[in-house]
Amino acid sequence: MEGEGSPNLCVEREGCEGMERGGRKEVACGTRRVDQCWHALLRGAADECEPEWCDSEDPLFILYTSGSTGKPKGVLHTLSGYMLYTAATFKLVFDHQPEDVYWCTADIGWITGHSYITYGPLANGATSVLFEGLPTYPDVSRMWGDIVDKYQVSKFYTAPTAIRLLMKYGSEPVLRYKRDSLKVLGTVGEPINPEAWHWYNNVVGDKRCPIVDTFWQTETGGHVLTPLPAATPLKPGSATFPFFAVVPAILNESGGGAGGARRGATLVFKQPWPGVMRSVYGNHQRFQSTYFKKFPGYYVTGDGCRRDEDGYYWITGRIDDMLNVLGPPAEHGGVESALVEHEAVAEAAVVGRPHPVKGESLYCFVTLQRGVAFSCSLEAELKKQVREKIGAIATPDHIQDAPGLPKTIRKIMRRILRKIACDERDLGDVSTLADSSVVEQLFLNRRCTAV
Ligand code: 7RM
């Protein structure tokens, strides 16, 4: 980096000579003047670097969660527990082997990047691909050709939104490349709808790579519900079973055990595991009230969950996002999946809108496949599709064309969609939105929807 005031480190050539200039040390490096010469620094450096001794419970980092409501919380992780947990989960969940090439597509600035680009892989000495850019630019097959085949990636970790984005362009851009180095495929961030799961499995993984659907949070530090590849029989859409040391329970509103298949119940954990957060930075009381107050003695995830007759856990989405349409709260996920199964729909998000009789009506935002135009007949078709797949009670009341959806880096912000559905302009804190122009467009399109 050159220019006024910027540190200027030259790494290009040896034999530079240092000189003082106007109180500032400068180095003549060939024809350039730089602040530091790498080779000179290296000559003067010791062979060993004494580590800084720390307590195992010293803070490691603070990462702010965007939080669907209220002020972001500074999630505090400490040294040993977090590193042990990310190292162990990385090793077992991706079945890490020395010859592996691992690629996680997350941004390094959110928790998946911290735990599974930085700490977990580095603690295992893994070879990683680091990627900065768009998966669809310069073309939609770059992930497979320019990265997976070129670097022989064997373990691949991404999010359902990325899978759905690529799915929009069909299978051909994937099939154009071999992908025969791939061994394990991971997913994280939100429940994966069965259609995306099958595409990931059949097209990307050629039906020969186990999929690890890893459920966890910024707060949990690492995977808490997850299959172990090739060892856990999979069910598409389920994060399967708890990782070692994790003891889940599912509680209903009054704190009782919700039993197997009850809907609208919360996932909690009965005992701590090494990677769990230790505090909310600067506000330990907020830590206690957010995670331990509602169900004393348990850590509360805030996620809806059910356990099926085989003991598999199914995350149904954030409790705050649940729909209250006649009867017990239901997940939006089923309606969203039913919409996405229609060939015209690339992505869907469903929110509740207050309704005098039903409690809430179903307001659906759909992003259509490239080249498909929104129409009344398509709207009717989509309503029919949801009714047939889920039942009359889940028939969407409104369907709106959404060229884009409000998202943080990876996740749909349903809180904002609920405001758009109600035509409420005061959106609260939108600082974590990746692209705020999307919201204006949705308010404009709203006028075209009969509400
Ligand atoms: C890693 C991460 C946490 C929230 C969590 C869930 C949702 C994450 C899954 C999932 C279903 C999954 N951290 N979530 N993974 N839901 N299946 N495999 O995403 O702090 O940013 O978000 O993400 O709602 O509470 S996070």
Side-chain angles (χ1 to χ4, degrees):
M1 203 198 280
E2 286 192 49
E4 281 295 298
S6 57
N8 203 344
L9 175 73
C10 169
V11 294
E12 277 164 27
R13 61 183 82 219
E14 255 186 284
C16 318
E17 284 170 37
M19 59 180 93
E20 296 281 349
R21 280 194 181 255
R24 176 172 159 211
K25 188 154 188 284
E26 270 192 354
V27 177
C29 183
T31 53
R32 298 163 56 208
R33 294 201 184 288
V34 298
D35 294 332
Q36 302 279 3
C37 167
W38 172 254
H39 303 286
L41 287 173
L42 211 59
R43 272 196 301 275
D47 289 343
E48 283 183 21
C49 174
E50 252 314 287
E52 183 70 35
W53 292 101
C54 300
D55 189 86
S56 60
E57 285 298 313
D58 277 349
L60 178 59
F61 63 80
I62 299 156
L63 188 59
Y64 282 80
T65 62
S66 55
S68 55
T69 45
K71 215 170 108 204
K73 296 181 280 289
V75 169
L76 181 94
H77 282 291
T78 55
L79 269 156
S80 302
Y82 174 85
M83 289 207 271
L84 169 73
Y85 201 69
T86 52
T89 46
F90 176 78
K91 186 169 178 179
L92 296 175
V93 173
F94 294 107
D95 181 30
H96 175 65
Q97 303 295 330
E99 65 277 13
D100 273 336
V101 176
Y102 167 80
W103 180 28
C104 168
T105 66
D107 291 270
I108 222 149
W110 73 303
I111 192 66
T112 301
H114 279 55
S115 298
Y116 298 111
I117 291 178
T118 313
Y119 291 95
L122 290 182
N124 280 278
T127 302
S128 292
V129 173
L130 295 187
F131 170 77
E132 167 80 44
L134 290 175
T136 49
Y137 184 86
D139 68 79
V140 298
S141 63
R142 78 174 295 195
M143 308 226 328
W144 321 116
D146 290 350
I147 305 174
V148 171
D149 279 5
K150 181 168 175 193
Y151 298 108
Q152 292 290 288
V153 171
S154 51
K155 309 290 163 77
F156 177 70
Y157 197 23
T158 195
T161 41
I163 299 167
R164 286 192 297 267
L165 172 72
L166 293 168
M167 234 169 94
K168 260 208 300 204
Y169 298 91
S171 305
E172 189 278 327
V174 187
L175 299 177
R176 219 184 286 161
Y177 294 93
K178 280 162 74 178
R179 292 159 288 105
D180 54 354
S181 54
L182 289 173
K183 290 192 171 129
V184 176
L185 304 175
T187 162
V188 57
E190 57 181 324
I192 182 165
N193 51 304
E195 207 201 5
W197 193 97
H198 286 295
W199 190 82
Y200 200 27
N201 185 43
N202 298 342
V203 180
V204 177
D206 277 329
K207 299 190 184 140
R208 49 168 197 83
C209 303
I211 292 180
V212 286
D213 179 349
T214 61
F215 167 83
W216 59 293
Q217 307 175 296
T218 305
E219 293 89 332
T220 68
H223 308 145
V224 279
L225 300 180
T226 178
L228 297 179
T232 311
L234 303 176
K235 294 195 186 191
S238 167
T240 72
F241 303 112
F243 189 73
F244 307 109
V246 173
V247 184
I250 300 174
L251 301 181
N252 62 28
E253 272 305 300
S254 53
R262 266 287 296 274
R263 303 164 93 201
T266 308
L267 176 69
V268 300
F269 295 115
K270 279 188 192 167
Q271 63 175 41
W273 58 95
V276 70
M277 70 185 286
R278 300 298 199 268
S279 189
V280 169
Y281 179 65
N283 196 346
H284 197 68
Q285 215 197 317
R286 187 156 179 221
F287 174 54
Q288 291 169 327
S289 61
T290 308
Y291 302 101
F292 302 99
K293 199 165 146 204
K294 188 166 179 197
F295 301 117
Y298 296 94
Y299 166 90
V300 177
T301 60
D303 283 298
C305 187
R306 67 189 170 85
R307 192 172 46 234
D308 71 14
E309 61 284 0
D310 301 319
Y312 283 67
Y313 289 83
W314 297 79
I315 300 293
T316 51
R318 301 294 300 165
I319 293 281
D320 308 343
D321 290 337
M322 298 254 162
L323 307 167
N324 289 297
V325 184
L326 288 176
E331 310 73 51
H332 47 77
V335 180
E336 289 172 4
S337 290
L339 288 166
V340 174
E341 273 167 45
H342 192 285
E343 59 184 12
V345 179
E347 193 156 42
V350 178
V351 295
R353 181 168 177 267
H355 185 279
V357 181
K358 296 203 284 187
E360 277 183 339
S361 60
L362 281 182
Y363 198 110
C364 310
F365 294 85
V366 291
T367 305
L368 300 179
Q369 302 280 14
R370 282 151 61 87
V372 179
F374 194 80
S375 66
C376 292
S377 61
L378 177 61
E379 188 180 341
E381 249 180 68
L382 292 174
K383 287 185 178 177
K384 183 161 164 270
Q385 168 140 334
V386 177
R387 190 166 55 235
E388 282 169 4
K389 285 192 189 280
I390 303 186
I393 192 169
T395 308
D397 298 273
H398 311 286
I399 298 185
Q400 171 173 340
D401 180 21
L405 290 168
K407 288 181 188 170
T408 61
I409 297 172
R410 297 245 177 261
K411 294 183 204 203
I412 298 169
M413 295 177 84
R414 293 192 175 73
R415 167 177 73 82
I416 290 179
L417 289 175
R418 212 174 286 131
K419 297 250 172 122
I420 296 169
C422 298
D423 206 13
E424 273 176 42
R425 299 271 159 170
D426 179 12
L427 298 178
D429 186 346
V430 291
S431 57
T432 55
L433 257 183
D435 174 7
S436 51
S437 69
V438 161
V439 171
E440 206 35 56
Q441 185 63 50
L442 288 179
F443 273 118
L444 286 173
N445 283 17
R446 199 181 173 281
R447 305 221 175 86
C448 318
T449 311
V451 193

